Amino acid sequence: MDVGERLKAIRKLKGISQRELAKRVGVTNSTISMIEKNGVSPSVSSLKKVLSGIPISIGDFFTLDLANIQPDLAVFPADKMPEVGNTQWSRKLVGAGVMQRLADFTRERFAPGADSGSEMLQSSGEKTGVVVQGSIELTVGFQVYELQAGDGFCFDSSRPHRFRNTGTSECELCVVNVPLPAKLHQPGMS
């Protein structure tokens, strides 16, 4: 992979000049230029520092499909949202292709009897949502809740959780998962 060319393409997509990126991360303009021209090969920690000025995670930097990024896209037709679930638990991702989304927003559907899997889910951040139609059993930690259409939820998604449709009709949810920086999870931090 051409790290320099990739950095240049992502920087330009975000509308950031070399000078601005250098200023944001506290390096010289020539450092950014040298990386983009592959004159130097940055260490992982140096690359992370440079990417923090865009901002983009190192994972997104290496996996982002640059050919399909549409930074100015604001509308996502239902038939263009990628499916990130399975046949029993449909999850349509809103905003796919938008670089460095701040949150994952999904429209989820559970067939009768379907669930989010045999193992409890956990991720970093906060999960918030609302039941649009039907009903869903939500387990968070050791608490089990029965939610009906119109009911909402909000919890730290690092807590083990699970969704299960115990009803006889399809359940639809709208869910937002916002990743939170690790320092916000530390006790005593405000």
Side-chain angles (χ1 to χ4, degrees):
M1 175 178 288
D2 188 334
V3 172
E5 205 41 54
R6 192 163 188 82
L7 176 61
K8 182 178 180 179
I10 292 172
R11 177 183 58 75
K12 285 185 171 186
L13 276 169
K14 291 292 270 185
I16 303 170
S17 68
Q18 280 185 350
R19 186 174 313 280
E20 175 62 25
L21 180 56
K23 182 179 171 184
R24 288 180 183 185
V25 297
V27 299
T28 64
N29 192 32
S30 63
T31 299
I32 301 299
S33 178
M34 291 292 288
I35 294 171
E36 289 184 355
K37 292 178 181 176
N38 291 310
V40 295
S41 182
S43 66
V44 172
S45 62
S46 296
L47 183 58
K48 279 184 180 181
K49 180 179 179 181
V50 170
L51 297 178
S52 71
I54 292 179
I56 184 171
S57 72
I58 199 157
D60 283 348
F61 176 78
F62 285 111
T63 60
L64 198 62
D65 181 2
L66 295 176
N68 292 317
I69 291 178
Q70 299 173 357
D72 296 325
L73 193 61
V75 175
F76 302 89
D79 63 340
K80 302 293 185 209
M81 289 185 231
E83 175 64 59
V84 294
N86 57 45
T87 57
Q88 295 295 306
W89 176 25
S90 171
R91 299 176 68 214
K92 297 280 192 167
L93 179 64
V94 179
V98 173
M99 192 166 61
Q100 200 62 24
R101 286 185 322 275
L102 298 177
D104 287 332
F105 180 82
T106 53
R107 177 180 176 196
E108 304 184 10
R109 291 188 167 134
F110 289 84
D115 60 40
S116 57
S118 58
E119 294 187 25
M120 300 286 266
L121 304 171
Q122 284 184 281
S123 60
S124 86
E126 180 179 272
K127 190 166 283 192
T128 304
V130 67
V131 179
V132 177
Q133 82 176 38
S135 62
I136 196 88
E137 177 186 272
L138 169 62
T139 303
V140 180
F142 296 107
Q143 293 291 121
V144 178
Y145 306 93
E146 286 291 332
L147 290 90
Q148 305 298 318
D151 292 340
F153 53 88
C154 181
F155 57 90
D156 179 339
S157 56
S158 68
R159 295 174 62 196
H161 57 280
R162 181 174 188 242
F163 294 92
R164 184 166 65 114
N165 183 349
T166 58
T168 58
S169 62
E170 181 179 81
C171 176
E172 181 178 348
L173 308 171
C174 285
V175 179
V176 178
N177 194 66
V178 180
L180 298 176
K183 67 181 181 181
L184 294 180
H185 287 291
Q186 295 175 356
M189 298 294 286
S190 52

